[in-house]
């Protein structure tokens, strides 16, 4: 007998019919003899609706009151699901985050879980009940309701699974699982059966649409096996877990992530002296702007170029900052390019294989795609290219590394 934490997202509990379907699924797991703790989101659209209500009244509602308001969304679904379970003769009990003591810090709307008291849940499980917990919410030391940030129910589920040492945390959603790349770009993208936490974090640009990336970090830290699967199909989905050392045939590349939401800033012709990188990047990070890729060229003539990427939404502000310091650092020129895309090949198998980078570069060269920046880490190689070649590049790489689903191609 195992203990599963099953989390159902907004679409999965989007109507009373769907809530009843969730109840059937939970009961099917119970019938196999397992204990189940269910975590639910608010009905789809509900959190946004509540936020609009708040904004209709106040431009800047206090975060404490926003949390009191938003947490009601999940309170509705825990009660309805418990009723649906009871109607089917299954003993069930709903709990808000505070009732099962999901203790968080005091940062409203982006609270972090500090600790969970598992006693209450364990005693309910021991009485043969299904425990239904409201996702996305907790309580701080002073008894205030807190919420964990948008998409936070995933993190609630993982945290509960960690506290209860559950055998698996299953995230039921509206897609079948994690794919080798975005199926909207590459038609024969293949559903991955297993993937490591590390890879999933690197594939965040694909996975972020499926689950809150913070929940993957959490699951990795506490070694909670995490499964992403569809609540509308019978399919085991994708299991995210630790690297299996015994697995001889670990694929070299697991997936291809990409993003179009970055911009490239180049500061050229600055003197190549100690402290120059700090003078350029320092003010940008001080403004709270996240810098992603950074490259600096070797200098032949005593000057150097520093190129870095930031989120496209931050790029104008970044240029203004650099423009202001440009004169001090004696930059020859500051340029901003918003039409770039970053593509990353990800795979733990890369660690033990040479030649991945050259194959990647050859594939892009064969398509006459110019690479602007290259960066690597142990399990990832990223390139920045002109945005207009993004789809071509992803498709070419996907087929060069034979990632496709044969049945679909
Ligand atoms: N209902 C919350 C949201 O929409 C939390 C969640 O669904 O995970 O962000
Ligand atoms: Mg969600």
């Amino acid at each position: 007998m195992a203990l599963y934490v099953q989390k159902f997202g907004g679409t999965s509990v989007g109507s009373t019919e769907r809530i009843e379907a969730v109840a059937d699924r939970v009961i099917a797991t119970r019938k196999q003899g397992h204990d189940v703790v269910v975590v639910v989101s608010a009905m789809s659209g509900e959190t946004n609706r509540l936020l609009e209500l708040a904004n209709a009244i106040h431009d800047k509602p206090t975060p404490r009151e926003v949390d009191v308001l938003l947490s009601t969304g999940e309170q509705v679904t825990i009660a309805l699901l418990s009723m649906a379970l009871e109607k089917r003769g299954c003993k069930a009990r709903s709990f808000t985050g505070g009732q099962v003591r999901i203790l968080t810090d005091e940062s409203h709307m982006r609270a972090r879980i500090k600790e969970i008291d598992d006693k209450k849940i364990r005693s309910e499980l021991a009485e043969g009940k299904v425990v239904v917990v409201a996702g996305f919410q907790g309580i701080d030391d002073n008894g205030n309701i807190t919420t964990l940030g948008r998409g936070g129910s995933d993190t609630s589920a993982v945290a509960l699974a960690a506290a209860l040492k559950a055998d698996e945390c299953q995230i039921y959603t509206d897609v079948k699982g994690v794919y080798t790349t975005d199926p909207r770009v590459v038609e024969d993208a293949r559903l991955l059966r297993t993937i490591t936490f590390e890879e999933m974090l690197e594939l965040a640009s694909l996975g972020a649409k499926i689950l809150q990336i913070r929940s993957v970090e959490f699951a990795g830290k506490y070694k909670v096996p995490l499964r992403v699967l569809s609540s509308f199909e019978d399919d085991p989905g994708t299991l995210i877990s630790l690297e299996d050392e015994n697995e001889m045939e670990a694929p070299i590349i697991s997936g291809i992530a990409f993003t179009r939401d970055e911009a490239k800033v180049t500061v050229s012709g600055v003197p190549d002296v100690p402290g120059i990188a700090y003078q350029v990047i320092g003010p940008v990070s001080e403004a709270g702007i996240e810098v992603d890729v950074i490259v600096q060229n070797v200098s032949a003539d005593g000057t150097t170029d520093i190129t870095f990427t930031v989120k496209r939404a931050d790029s104008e502000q970044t240029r203004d900052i650099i423009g202001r310091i440009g004169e001090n650092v004696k930059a020859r020129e500051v340029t901003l390019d918003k039409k770039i895309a970053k593509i990353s090949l990800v795979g733990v198998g890369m660690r033990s294989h040479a030649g991945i980078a050259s194959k990647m570069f050859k594939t892009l060269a064969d398509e006459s795609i110019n690479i602007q920046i290259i960066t690597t880490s142990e399990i990832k190689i990223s390139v920045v290219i002109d945005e207009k070649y993004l789809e071509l590049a992803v498709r070419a790489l996907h087929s060069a590394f034979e990632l496709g689903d044969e049945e679909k191609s």
Side-chain angles (χ1 to χ4, degrees):
M1 186 167 107
L3 168 61
Y4 293 124
V5 173
Q6 299 187 323
K7 182 258 169 179
F8 294 89
T11 352
S12 308
V13 294
S15 63
T16 50
E17 291 77 22
R18 289 196 169 168
I19 290 174
E20 302 225 33
V22 167
D24 289 334
R25 236 173 223 285
V26 170
I27 288 172
T29 309
R30 280 290 292 149
K31 287 215 170 113
Q32 289 164 7
H34 307 304
D35 277 335
V36 187
V37 172
V38 187
V39 175
V40 284
S41 289
M43 295 168 93
S44 55
E46 177 65 6
T47 309
N48 288 340
R49 189 185 72 87
L50 294 169
L51 273 174
E52 278 162 26
L53 290 178
N55 292 327
I57 290 192
H58 200 307
D59 294 342
K60 283 204 181 79
T62 49
R64 182 190 183 278
E65 301 313 325
V66 173
D67 279 353
V68 172
L69 179 68
L70 293 192
S71 62
T72 62
E74 274 74 9
Q75 195 168 330
V76 169
T77 46
I78 53 169
L80 292 176
L81 177 60
S82 301
M83 290 173 196
L85 287 165
E86 280 170 349
K87 182 170 95 177
R88 286 162 173 76
C90 172
K91 287 193 278 177
R93 242 174 144 188
S94 65
F95 294 99
T96 63
Q99 284 176 315
V100 285
R101 301 219 57 79
I102 298 183
L103 201 67
T104 72
D105 61 17
E106 293 164 21
S107 347
H108 286 289
M109 297 170 71
R110 52 188 166 84
R112 298 216 156 233
I113 298 174
K114 293 200 294 191
E115 145 193 338
I116 295 180
D117 182 0
D118 61 335
K119 274 199 259 22
K120 176 110 197 120
I121 298 180
R122 284 196 193 283
S123 77
E124 298 287 339
L125 288 174
E127 287 174 28
K129 289 180 196 143
V130 168
V131 176
V132 184
V133 183
F136 177 56
Q137 55 178 263
I139 196 162
D140 71 10
D141 278 326
N142 303 314
N144 295 304
I145 296 173
T146 53
T147 64
L148 310 179
R150 299 306 303 271
S153 299
D154 296 331
T155 300
S156 308
V158 171
L160 280 163
L164 294 162
K165 302 192 175 54
D167 294 273
E168 208 171 272
C169 179
Q170 304 175 332
I171 308 282
Y172 283 89
T173 174
D174 49 5
V175 295
K176 265 174 119 175
V178 184
Y179 285 80
T180 48
T181 195
D182 189 336
R184 284 170 305 187
V185 171
V186 179
E187 224 176 274
D188 68 340
R190 181 169 43 87
L191 180 68
L192 292 162
R193 288 302 169 196
T194 57
I195 187 172
T196 67
F197 293 117
E198 241 184 322
E199 289 169 321
M200 188 65 217
L201 291 173
E202 296 291 6
L203 290 172
S205 70
L206 303 174
K209 293 159 205 148
I210 308 173
L211 42 84
Q212 200 193 37
I213 285 307
R214 200 172 124 202
S215 71
V216 181
E217 284 166 7
F218 209 108
K221 187 164 164 199
Y222 293 96
K223 302 187 173 58
V224 178
L226 191 60
R227 188 181 292 280
V228 179
L229 65 178
S230 163
S231 48
F232 305 111
E233 277 170 82
D234 268 316
D235 189 284
T238 306
L239 178 67
I240 310 167
S241 62
L242 290 173
E243 192 170 344
D244 184 356
E245 281 164 24
N246 302 319
E247 206 183 320
M248 305 278 291
E249 294 291 316
I252 300 170
I253 306 295
S254 292
I256 305 177
F258 56 88
T259 140
R260 309 170 206 258
D261 69 352
E262 290 186 28
K264 182 182 75 171
V265 180
T266 302
V267 190
S268 42
V270 290
D272 188 17
V273 293
I276 194 70
Y278 173 66
Q279 281 183 64
V280 171
I281 302 295
V284 178
S285 26
E286 265 158 43
I289 295 171
E290 203 185 310
V291 177
D292 182 24
V293 178
I294 307 176
V295 289
Q296 187 196 308
N297 216 342
V298 282
S299 68
D301 62 353
T303 71
T304 187
D305 300 343
I306 297 176
T307 300
F308 59 94
T309 65
V310 292
K311 286 262 172 297
R312 216 172 271 186
D314 294 329
S315 62
E316 304 276 345
Q317 193 193 346
T318 307
R319 186 183 36 201
D320 292 348
I321 294 172
I322 300 289
R324 256 176 274 136
I325 58 171
E327 226 165 276
N328 302 346
V329 296
K330 301 197 183 65
R332 191 174 349 106
E333 200 185 7
V334 175
T335 52
L336 169 63
D337 183 356
K338 291 199 205 177
K339 294 204 165 59
I340 57 153
K342 188 178 79 180
I343 301 179
S344 308
L345 285 188
V346 176
V348 290
M350 217 183 266
R351 271 199 268 256
S352 50
H353 282 80
I356 305 298
S358 68
K359 184 168 176 181
M360 181 184 200
F361 305 155
K362 177 169 192 313
T363 306
L364 296 174
D366 288 346
E367 300 291 344
S368 305
I369 298 170
N370 185 39
I371 301 172
Q372 303 177 6
I373 306 178
I374 301 166
T375 55
T376 61
S377 75
E378 227 195 335
I379 67 158
K380 179 171 89 163
I381 306 174
S382 306
V383 294
V384 170
I385 60 167
D386 187 327
E387 186 189 8
K388 68 174 183 254
Y389 300 120
L390 173 66
E391 305 203 338
L392 174 64
V394 173
R395 287 191 197 119
L397 291 167
H398 198 267
S399 91
F401 285 93
E402 292 169 30
L403 296 176
D405 189 334
E406 277 156 31
E407 280 164 32
K408 284 197 218 157
S409 57

